[in-house]
Amino acid sequence: MMQMPEPDPTVLSRRQAIVTALRDAVAGAVIDDPAETRAYECDALSAYRCAPLAVVLPRTTDEVARLMAICHELGVPVVPRGAGTSLAGGAMPTADAVVIGLSRMTDVIEIATGDRLIRVQAGRTNLSVSGAVDGQDFFYAPDPSSQLACAIGGNIAMNSGGAHCLKYGVTTNNLLGVTMVLMDGTVVELGGPMGEGPGLDLLGVVCGSEGQLGIVTEATLRILPKPPGARPVLIGFDSSETAGACVAAIIRAGVMPVAIEFMDSPCIRATEEFSHAGYPDCEALLIVEVEGTAPEIDEQLALIRDIAVTFDPVEFRESRSEDESRRIWLGRKSAFGAMGQLGDYICLDGTIPVSALPQVLARIGDLSRDYGLSVANVFHAGDGNMHPLIIYDANAPGDLDRAEALGADILRLCVEVGGCLTGEHGVGIEKRDLMTTQYAAADLEAQMRVKDVFDPNWLLNAAKVFPLDVSASRRDARPNATPHAA
Amino acid sequence: MRPDSEAALAETIRAAREPMSITGGGTRLRPGEGQAPRLDLSALTGVTLYEPAALTLVVRAGTPLATVHQMLAAEGQMLGFEPGGEPGSTIGGVIAANASGPRRVQAGAARDALIGVRFVDGQGEIVRNGGRVMKNVTGYDLVKLMAGSRGQLGALTELSLRTMPMPPVRRTLCLPDLEAADALPALTAALVGPFEVSGAAWLPDRGALIRLEGLEGSVAIRATGLRDRLSQHGEVAEVDDDPWPRLAWPEARDGDGDLWRIVCRPGAAASILATLPRPVSLDWGGALIHVRLPEGELPQLPRFEGHARRVTGAAPMVLPAPDPMTRRLDAGLRRKFDPRGIFLGAD
Ligand SMILES: Cc1cc2nc3c(=O)[nH]c(=O)nc-3n(C[C@H](O)[C@H](O)[C@H](O)COP(=O)(O)OP(=O)(O)OC[C@H]3O[C@@H](n4cnc5c(N)ncnc54)[C@H](O)[C@@H]3O)c2cc1C
């Protein structure tokens, strides 16, 4: 079980004064009725909940700046929130915190297709960014599966990825600039054309900082011309090792698929039962998708076929129509839903070097047997970002603890083979206490120094990312809240 | 001082009492840099790991860029961000300068290919961030912060990079008759179409240059479509040599006067060019302008999004002056990573 720090009693005792100050600053934006703040008590890591002191839903950068200045002055912790789809507990409040939510900040500020960019308010959803430029035949590349709901500000905070990042990169590779409000209410502009500012790459360190350095209110994003078409193939293998080796061979050959997705047999069987996509009953399966005009797609798929046959696939199914493409993706896209049918699950997110894939899959199999919990694997194979799903029963006493322990062992394994704890979901509270398995004290100290510069009082989302004992001295050094002198 | 190991480097930094200038090959120094006694990292050479099938290279910072190029080429791979440089250039210098060539429009910059770092900070502490996998959001991304930090935050000792397969076919179309400003609409047309352009530039003696890379059939199809699209902008031809290395190193230290580097939105490039003499080169579809001005002269630029920097000449100069809020953050980070002010660099 994850611990959270005790709420600051001084802050709690001045709750009414704080709410009044926020209301005076931005009318019509403050929620403090406990019946309503409940809606903000968790994100998609829903096993952990805590209602905040209040929620504020501003509409402009200026309003965010005013709210932040007040919280700063009153010594009130702040938790930024986009759409609350974080799987790591990144947006989970503490009882003494004000949640600043960006759900009302959804405007498109500028579209410049000639400069291949769009500028939006950070509360806009990922999918509706692409939607805004769809008519001009452009799209925004990073596409987390949660894209219908998740907000660009959340994507930036988590440096989110998606199915197509093998070719197009993750959020940080598609982010050109942000307007951000610091904890003291200062507004800064980071980045610039090509993502480049005149000084240090502050934009680079802000992206992925999990809402600990500032609240991003506006973002300039790179958009790309839509490819003429895309087509997947499905390749089945009689062992995970062979599938892993085939992935490496495809990447090595210089074809650049937009996606290489991997599913193992527990996952194939579960999805087949759930979605009837017509997948072969085999040990491992790859879905490889390429883009271009029809002849370009044919050329790439021919090359992929030449490579795949040398690995004796049990099946090589090339899509011949829109409908067949849809069928090939159907199982993959319903994989998480299918797992939900098997029970409650924890979704891990470690990354490993692609070369370690066979070894890691075998070790996960062993661990799964040791713990007596089933694990299904479905993930982005091209970049080694694994999503092992641990199936457990939330109603069985002790099952969640056991599942979390198994999860921690799998993540330690990822680090041990040269990978990392999280490839795209972020640390949040979920992986916070494992950080010391990947980073030495000096490594964490260097990261915390960055926060010291942006948020010297450690008021912003401070109970996340760093193990609580590691960040304790900084959080405890918070100056005592001073009365608001408005 | 030229330490030959990370441990020796850390020791040197801990013992230092005076400011030092961190250098690799010393080939990319800009005004204001390299003035203090040099902390020369060129002895930290060698490859820690190269896994072509995982597109991963881990290399020590002093390794010559040429050695990296050769080693990757032997496996049919390359650095996607296409850094150029002079003989003696090291991979650490490339990263510290975030030196990125024409393919940035397609494959990203040096900072995008960098997936892990080791460095020694101003207290002599060894710090590791990132790792050797492409997808990694574990903790803050100091990797990006260190890329382009020009030795102001720490001495880079080891770098993990994502490599790229070399495309089997590479073709370059040109519109030789276009002057810089007239080339801009052609470059934009190429970049906003479905052509997957891997270079969109202009050189005074070559006109507009647009590169396509990939499988043979695919490049042929895109070249036909692109020719068609570009024909309304002028006569389209194909070049038979390779003009791109010149664009990958536009800061060549020859020529008179001061070299200026301007980063802007392509849409603003025409109004900027109108205030300047004929440029040395355009790249990134017009987002990067290099121009020579008489020694000491400042460009009279219109208001624009972006910045201009003097990269050769007397004193450091950035226009417009960076805003005080971001400067404060930059200065704060420098103080945190180098509290004693050991690493001397330009502002
Ligand atoms: C079904 C499902 C599928 C998913 N698939 C993927 C996937 O494929 N790839 C992937 O990478 N992730 C995925 N996720 C995880 C999640 O969607 C991403 O992390 C997403 O970016 C979170 O965005 P959000 O707006 O919901 O942020 P929230 O959950 O509201 O917040 C996330 C973090 O960002 C901070 N934050 C939010 N907005 C701001 C802001 N404006 N300024 C500063 N900090 C801010 C918060 O404090 C918090 O730390 C998935 C989640 C679900 C539930």
Side-chain angles (χ1 to χ4, degrees), chain A residues 116 118 124-131 133 138-176 207 220-224 258 291 380 383 423-424, chain B residues 112 134-135:
Chain A
R116 288 163 292 131
I118 183 172
R124 192 172 180 87
T125 62
N126 174 293
L127 192 63
S128 67
V129 169
S130 277
V133 291
F138 277 81
F139 73 110
Y140 173 61
D143 57 345
S145 328
S146 52
Q147 66 180 161
L148 190 62
C150 66
I152 287 299
N155 292 176
I156 293 169
M158 291 315 204
N159 189 14
S160 301
H164 294 90
C165 61
L166 185 57
K167 179 168 176 187
Y168 297 115
V170 296
T171 302
T172 190
N173 312 114
N174 293 276
L175 178 65
L176 301 175
C207 189
T220 307
L221 307 166
R222 180 171 77 126
I223 51 172
L224 297 169
V258 271
E291 283 180 348
H380 315 303
D383 49 38
E424 57 181 17
Chain B
D112 296 295
M134 179 185 132
K135 276 181 80 184

Side-chain angles (χ1 to χ4, degrees), chain A residues 384-472:
Chain A
N385 187 191
M386 305 187 77
H387 290 312
L389 296 170
I390 302 172
I391 318 289
Y392 72 101
D393 179 358
N395 294 319
D399 237 30
L400 172 62
D401 286 344
R402 230 158 19 105
E404 285 186 343
L406 170 55
D409 276 350
I410 293 176
L411 292 183
R412 281 189 202 102
L413 170 62
C414 291
V415 174
E416 191 186 302
V417 300
C420 65
L421 298 171
T422 170
E424 57 181 17
H425 295 167
V427 177
I429 56 167
E430 193 203 17
K431 279 148 288 199
R432 190 187 61 196
D433 300 322
L434 287 171
M435 284 290 272
T436 47
T437 63
Q438 186 172 332
Y439 286 120
D443 305 334
L444 291 175
E445 175 65 25
Q447 296 177 33
M448 290 190 296
R449 280 190 221 137
V450 175
K451 184 165 171 65
D452 292 340
V453 172
F454 283 78
D455 174 24
N457 296 346
W458 279 64
L459 285 170
L460 198 53
N461 219 8
K464 318 284 170 68
V465 183
F466 305 104
L468 289 183
D469 56 332
V470 173
S471 64

